[in-house]
Amino acid sequence: MTSRKRGGSESGPRRAPREPKPPAVAMSIHAHPDDQEFTVAGTLAKWAQAGCRVITVCLTRGGAGSNKSTPAGMTRERLGEIREEEQRRACKVLGVAETIFLDYEDGMLQPSLALRRDLTRLVRRHRPDVVVCGDPTVRFYGGRYMNHPDHRVAGDVALDAVFPSAETRLIFPELLDEGLEPHHVSRVFLHSAQEPDAYVDIAGTLELKLAALREHKSQMGDWDPKDMIAAWAREQGRRRGLRAAESYRLMLLERP
Ligand SMILES: [Zn+2]
């Protein structure tokens, strides 16, 4: 008998790790309407099809938008209303069970304790086994895009809510008074990570991702996101020989 080498088999090259299993309950946390659709929508649609209860949390209503697509005379309030509606439609396309807005100010997110408490409350209430959020450690993507401060804050606060706040009884004890017991999140999927180690094949849900993205009409204008999104999916899938994928840094969190 030869001993089996770590991470491989005796007969062939090392196999790529299997795709992570769909969770029973997933919470997808983002700063703005459309962030989810650009990044993780293929995964969420696939999980929803597998019976996962997906809850989307949007920290702002997107009232700042972008200059390119915002008509003159638009107000933050009106744009926030439009974008909230667009996000709700996009979630419906993906099969998201519940969409929650926390109504913080777009463009001004701070990693405040109030925001951390609000997210901790939602994690304890909905008890997801998986949280999906952006990687807050990434400052630059290549030489042309600096990660939006709201995106960094959203990722940071989501992680801080997961650990240690949601699972530690005596952090935010006022939540106990609301009847919200501690909850341990077992896996965190960080999208837009620079060193991803987990891949979800989205060939079967790429069209749903595009359809959901197109619901963000106020931001898309006449632009068809198809080519860019397909190219991103191809690029992310390449390392695993997949035609289309979304990639993540995956954290498997130990029980307290
Ligand atoms: Zn954004």
Side-chain angles (χ1 to χ4, degrees), residues 127-193:
R127 311 186 85 69
D129 29 324
V130 159
V131 162
V132 181
C133 63
D135 182 340
T137 65
V138 184
R139 189 70 175 84
F140 304 107
Y141 289 101
R144 299 182 58 165
Y145 180 68
M146 298 198 290
N147 197 5
H148 193 297
D150 288 357
H151 297 168
R152 303 197 319 265
V153 168
D156 246 338
V157 180
L159 296 183
D160 294 346
V162 165
F163 175 83
S165 307
E167 67 181 38
T168 306
R169 176 167 288 277
L170 291 182
I171 295 180
F172 302 131
E174 61 274 33
L175 296 180
L176 296 174
D177 298 337
E178 296 176 24
L180 297 170
E181 291 294 318
H183 173 69
H184 172 71
V185 172
S186 55
R187 293 183 289 167
V188 177
F189 286 69
L190 296 145
H191 70 74
S192 310

Side-chain angles (χ1 to χ4, degrees), residues 75-126:
T75 63
R76 288 180 74 91
E77 289 68 28
R78 180 66 194 124
L79 188 56
E81 283 168 12
I82 291 168
R83 298 194 67 195
E84 177 175 340
E85 184 53 33
E86 290 172 346
Q87 183 63 69
R88 290 188 188 283
R89 286 176 196 271
C91 283
K92 198 170 277 181
V93 170
L94 300 175
V96 168
E98 197 169 337
T99 307
I100 299 165
F101 287 84
L102 286 182
D103 209 13
Y104 282 78
E105 285 289 340
D106 183 358
M108 301 180 201
L109 269 191
Q110 291 281 322
S112 66
L113 287 175
L115 177 52
R116 195 191 300 181
R117 184 189 295 110
D118 282 346
L119 272 181
T120 302
R121 178 182 288 111
L122 292 179
V123 170
R124 287 194 187 185
R125 182 176 294 151
H126 294 278

Side-chain angles (χ1 to χ4, degrees), residues 17-21 43 47 187-191 193 195-201 236 239-240 242 245-252:
R18 235 183 264 157
E19 179 173 317
K21 281 204 189 96
T43 300
W47 287 353
R187 293 183 289 167
V188 177
F189 286 69
L190 296 145
H191 70 74
E195 291 181 15
D197 53 15
Y199 294 77
V200 176
D201 184 339
Q236 291 179 75
R239 276 205 213 170
R240 286 288 188 277
L242 298 169
E246 286 167 345
S247 65
Y248 300 92
R249 175 173 178 168
L250 176 57
M251 297 294 298
L252 305 171

